[in-house]
Amino acid sequence: MPHRRHNPLTGDWVLVSPQRQKRPWRGTVEAPPAPALQRHDPDCPLCPRNRRGGSGAVNPDYTGVFVFDNDYPALTPEAPAAQPPPPSPFARSRPARGACRVICFSPRHDLTLSQLPPARIEAVVAAWRAQYADLIGAHRWVQIFENKGAMMGCSNPHPHGQIWAGDFVPNELRREGQRQLAHHRAHGAALLDDYMAFEMRAGERVVAHNEHWAAVVPYWAVWPFETLLLPRRAVCDFDQVDDQLQAALAALLKNLLGRYDRLFGCPMPYCLGWHGAPGKATAAARAAWRLHAHCYPPLLRGATVRKHMVGYEMLCEPQRDLTPEDAAARLRDA
Ligand code: H2U
Ligand code: ZN
């Protein structure tokens, strides 16, 4: 029967309509085979030794992870000019200051994060930690993320992610922070610790886990195969990720991302990114916050059939047919 599910991290609801899975559809459409990629593409601005379009800088002959300042940054470090008072309450604005970096996961143009050996994935996690440590002191928020695949608007198949840091707490983080703090005040425990315990007991939405991390299709998932990655220890930000957690995270990512690629027999497009306590957060906020990653893949029924967030979703609230429990089972089987 149709029902709505509650997202305790945001306060939002999602409409679930499992009965609609009975309606006829034409079946999985296979994607045409992807064009073979070269190990090194002379025209790729992210490959080693190549010149980048934006700044004209030449990439070093890097062999591991390579981080550089984005040549087309959405945020810049310039101190804001004195702001004139708003001409009207309908024209409120605030200055925004920050930094944007690009992180190449590997010199190999033809591999994805999921295809890298575990030690190389661990080097990416180590770079995330180092970048977070480098940027959090001068910023309120550091967003580490990867947009993968043309379907997600990614401009280049070279395996890479992005890091944006800003002097403000963005909307999603503000909401998650408020909800986690309220839960901690009401229950004396972190919302995501309680949620993790619930999911490990239930089992049906767990996709993969190891001693230190778990990946679940959250009860309130919006995207068909959305997952939430949670640490199984009280970790509130990337500063608290130690070497043990780092190695275990690389193993979990290898496991999860491989399942995604096998699900529809194609490199799974997704947006994956990390949320944790903002910089300069109060002790109470840090006690309530848990580091976690959201992974939002857009595919629904095959390599070319995506879920569109239109109509009811744009105007009302997200809706899904496939239950999170069925999605988790399919990912476990993959
Ligand atoms: P996406 O494909 O995920 O958008 O990432 C590519 C990023 O790399 C994008 O933010 C940056 C773009 O601004 N970039 C450079 O900084 N220099 C270049 O020469 C090409 C792309
Ligand atoms: Zn490349």
Side-chain angles (χ1 to χ4, degrees):
M1 296 293 285
H3 61 279
R4 294 167 80 215
R5 296 188 181 195
H6 182 246
N7 180 342
L9 267 180
T10 62
D12 283 344
W13 293 82
V14 51
L15 177 62
V16 186
S17 316
Q19 79 288 355
R20 277 185 21 118
Q21 288 183 82
K22 294 200 193 91
R23 79 192 195 284
W25 53 278
R26 283 209 208 99
T28 302
V29 184
E30 288 307 327
L37 296 172
Q38 305 157 266
R39 287 171 74 106
H40 182 277
D41 179 345
D43 295 323
C44 169
L46 305 186
C47 274
R49 306 182 300 281
N50 289 355
R51 190 176 293 277
R52 296 203 302 274
S55 58
V58 176
N59 294 330
D61 192 10
Y62 66 95
T63 55
V65 174
F66 169 53
V67 179
F68 64 90
D69 288 328
N70 197 311
D71 297 316
Y72 310 96
L75 288 160
T76 56
E78 280 84 51
Q83 292 281 298
S88 150
F90 298 115
R92 276 179 73 190
S93 72
R94 282 179 184 169
R97 197 182 56 76
C100 295
R101 294 177 181 172
V102 178
I103 169 171
C104 299
F105 297 150
S106 162
R108 286 279 299 267
H109 184 82
D110 57 338
L111 297 179
T112 63
L113 184 61
S114 61
Q115 293 166 337
L116 296 180
R120 293 293 183 163
I121 299 179
E122 190 174 344
V124 172
V125 178
W128 286 341
R129 284 171 71 189
Q131 288 297 314
Y132 182 84
D134 186 38
L135 288 163
I136 195 64
H139 298 93
R140 288 296 309 285
W141 179 241
V142 176
Q143 182 60 57
I144 295 168
F145 66 99
E146 178 190 7
N147 282 330
K148 183 182 160 212
M151 200 178 268
M152 296 308 284
C154 182
S155 57
N156 187 327
H158 194 111
H160 71 282
Q162 298 194 42
I163 301 157
W164 293 25
D167 65 348
F168 55 94
V169 178
N171 298 339
E172 290 288 312
L173 276 300
R174 191 188 62 234
R175 289 208 300 170
E176 288 194 354
Q178 286 167 347
R179 309 266 328 171
Q180 288 179 92
L181 193 57
H183 181 98
H184 199 273
R185 286 202 176 119
H187 303 281
L191 190 161
L192 287 176
D193 285 352
D194 287 350
Y195 178 61
M196 165 67 82
F198 161 74
E199 287 294 12
M200 295 313 281
R201 263 195 321 271
E204 58 183 339
R205 281 169 301 273
V206 179
V207 174
H209 66 93
N210 58 32
E211 197 187 338
H212 298 295
W213 296 86
V216 306
V217 178
Y219 181 78
W220 54 84
V222 163
W223 293 95
F225 294 94
E226 173 178 338
T227 49
L228 180 66
L229 275 70
L230 292 165
R232 302 181 69 186
R233 257 202 249 160
V235 173
C236 81
D237 63 19
F238 257 108
D239 260 350
Q240 297 184 334
V241 173
D242 61 16
D243 292 347
Q244 212 180 21
L245 280 167
Q246 172 182 298
L249 178 54
L252 189 86
L253 283 169
K254 181 79 187 168
N255 181 325
L256 176 68
L257 300 180
R259 289 175 193 282
Y260 274 137
D261 288 350
R262 291 189 297 273
L263 184 65
F264 297 125
C266 70
M268 181 64 119
Y270 58 74
C271 158
L272 184 153
W274 290 93
H275 284 164
K280 302 172 190 77
T282 62
R286 290 177 68 81
W289 258 103
R290 287 296 174 265
L291 179 69
H292 60 274
H294 298 281
C295 187
Y296 302 132
L299 293 183
L300 176 62
R301 277 201 312 261
T304 58
V305 184
R306 64 164 293 168
K307 163 82 182 164
H308 288 281
M309 291 288 177
V310 294
Y312 191 82
E313 283 90 353
M314 284 186 110
L315 295 162
C316 300
E317 67 187 21
Q319 183 273 338
R320 61 182 295 139
D321 299 346
L322 180 71
T323 65
E325 294 72 34
D326 286 344
R330 291 188 56 189
L331 282 168
R332 277 196 303 271
D333 288 346

